[in-house]
Amino acid sequence: MLEILGAKINQNHGLPVNDVHATFVAIIKYVPTVAAIILGMAWKSILTDTKMMTPWSNMSEKWAKSSHSVTLDYLTSLEVISLIPAFRRRHWSVAIGLVTGFVCGALVALTNSLPYVNLSAATSQSATFAMTSRTNLNGSLQYPNGSLTMPQSYLDSEPYAAMAAQELPNGRSAAWTKDNVVFDSFRATSTLDKNSTVEAEVPSVRSAFNCHQLHYQQYNQYAKYDDSTWSSVVLKANPRDLEAANCSPMPQLSPPVHDDQVMGWLNVTSCSNEADDTRVIANIAVRKNAGTVNQSPWGMVGLLCKSEFILQSAWLQVNMTPSYEVLSYAFNSSSTTTAIGVPNSNAALYYIYLNNPNDVKSQKIFQPGTIFNDKPTADFGNATDVAYHFIRNSVADPFFATLTEGQVEIKIKMYEDDPYRFQADVELVAGRMLAQVLKSFARENNTGDISGIIRTTQPRLFLRRSILRVLDAALVFICLVCLLHLTLLRPKTILKENPGTIASTAMTLASASRSIEDFFSHEVISAESHLKHILKSRE
């Protein structure tokens, strides 16, 4: 029974410890212990009879010393003390019975420690899930006229709030996203237990924001006006940096004109005559000195970035209850990777979304009475006008406010000293932000089924295999002892009554005088056949 129970529990990866299985858990925890106690009491009864019969059994077989028969007292002696004398006198039925009694006592402790509860046991089972949504980039982020598809409601803030929450210590990703990846969503077709996680392979879209560093060189620019020559400092990106980024010379930049110590802003630029090869450019500036007519007072570092979305299959683990949080994921190396773009769009689209059109600073630009007086539209001129507005009126646009976590001066100075850190952080934050934008505004309903695995972590009851093996051995030993006591070790006697009165008389005669012994000498029986004859004649 124990083996069958153990095999069944292991087959089901344990027995759930919950209200549904409370009765079975109680049975498994307490019934074996109760059975061991009953077995011990039954064996105690058998052992008592064995102790009582053994002295007279010895007398029935042959002549026996009084210390081995009438004066032998196993009943009132402690069992631990009786064990060694029983072995020494070769009273095997008593000796083995005593050992078996100790084994029965140990069974109580063994059965009590047999079950245990693993509070975080994991189980898995195959399952089928129903797809619910997928990422669609076909016209989902902007309308044909260039205006954004963002709804004018609280949903505007959803991707940026999710991004901010993710950046907090111990922050969690929004549902069906992780890092810079958005996954197709699905739901379970049956009720899941608490703390259930699901593993399945689904399509994913990765937002790749790839940047190249730009180092600026200063040039003096001269212009004549009213017979006067004016000189100004302009900044141009290093041609080698542009070549590494596969970009033709972009327009020159003028250094910042206000008195702030640091600046950080995004802009857009074109890297060729083709309308679809536009890039996002991220610049930081740190004031170095007062500057002269031939020297810019700013130290500047830039990044030339291009965004693309990569479609690839991924195996992910999701916490289905209650937040649909993606716990981990791994791309399928054998699946096809496809780079996809946004039709009829360019870097201006990414620029507008990265600067959060719902931000207070951005709202001031697009409110009635401003130069735009309309919703933001993703076109090149619009993006550069917005960038110019931020450069003239703010030390950091909304993207750099998020990038620096509000510590604009400290972070920008750090980035100026470590351009590689600047590049890594921009790629990370921009990729995550665009992923949240896709999750919020580029989703459509989806149908179909996929296969996966449900993994549940919950308290489950198991049986200790080592204890189970010891119990098996102990029960086999007890069975063998029972067989021996029924056959070879069974105490034998020809007496049909309790010989206690005879023993008392014998003890009395043994302590009497010599004359009394002589008087009863003719009653001495020297053979079993003679004893049987006397007993039969008295019936």
Side-chain angles (χ1 to χ4, degrees), residues 276-425:
D276 61 348
D277 191 10
T278 55
R279 313 280 181 92
V280 175
I281 183 170
N283 292 314
I284 58 172
V286 178
R287 182 179 292 278
K288 296 296 184 180
N289 50 56
T292 65
V293 72
N294 294 319
Q295 183 180 11
S296 169
W298 296 89
M300 294 186 61
V301 177
L303 296 173
L304 190 62
C305 306
K306 188 172 185 178
S307 179
E308 64 178 351
F309 301 108
I310 300 174
L311 178 64
Q312 188 175 5
S313 180
W315 184 266
L316 72 158
Q317 184 181 35
V318 186
N319 183 2
M320 299 294 286
T321 53
S323 60
Y324 297 101
E325 178 190 7
V326 177
L327 303 177
S328 63
Y329 67 93
F331 292 112
N332 186 348
S333 57
S334 61
S335 65
T336 303
T337 58
T338 305
I340 54 179
V342 181
N344 303 319
S345 67
N346 50 38
L349 177 65
Y350 310 135
Y351 171 84
I352 295 295
Y353 274 113
L354 288 175
N355 265 321
N356 186 2
N358 197 50
D359 185 83
V360 175
K361 295 179 181 179
S362 298
Q363 288 291 313
K364 288 182 179 180
I365 299 176
F366 297 104
Q367 65 184 354
T370 62
I371 58 176
F372 298 103
N373 196 26
D374 198 1
K375 291 175 60 178
T377 55
D379 60 71
F380 194 88
N382 191 357
T384 55
D385 288 343
V386 173
Y388 179 74
H389 178 88
F390 283 131
I391 292 173
R392 293 185 61 85
N393 296 281
S394 178
V395 297
D397 58 19
F399 175 79
F400 269 86
T402 300
L403 178 70
T404 59
E405 299 174 328
Q407 301 177 345
V408 179
E409 184 170 350
I410 296 175
K411 284 290 186 72
I412 287 181
K413 287 182 178 180
M414 180 187 70
Y415 290 148
E416 198 261 341
D417 293 334
D418 188 357
Y420 292 99
R421 175 70 177 275
F422 177 43
Q423 177 182 349
D425 285 358

Side-chain angles (χ1 to χ4, degrees), residues 5-6 16 20 22 74 142 153 155 163 178 220 234 255 330 357 379 389 424-425 432 443 460 464 479 497:
L5 180 62
V20 176
Y74 284 128
Q142 64 178 147
S153 66
L155 291 177
M163 176 66 191
K178 186 74 171 180
N220 293 325
V234 296
D379 60 71
H389 178 88
D425 285 358
R432 289 181 174 180
R443 304 289 275 189
R460 299 183 76 88
R464 291 184 172 89
C479 289
E497 299 177 3

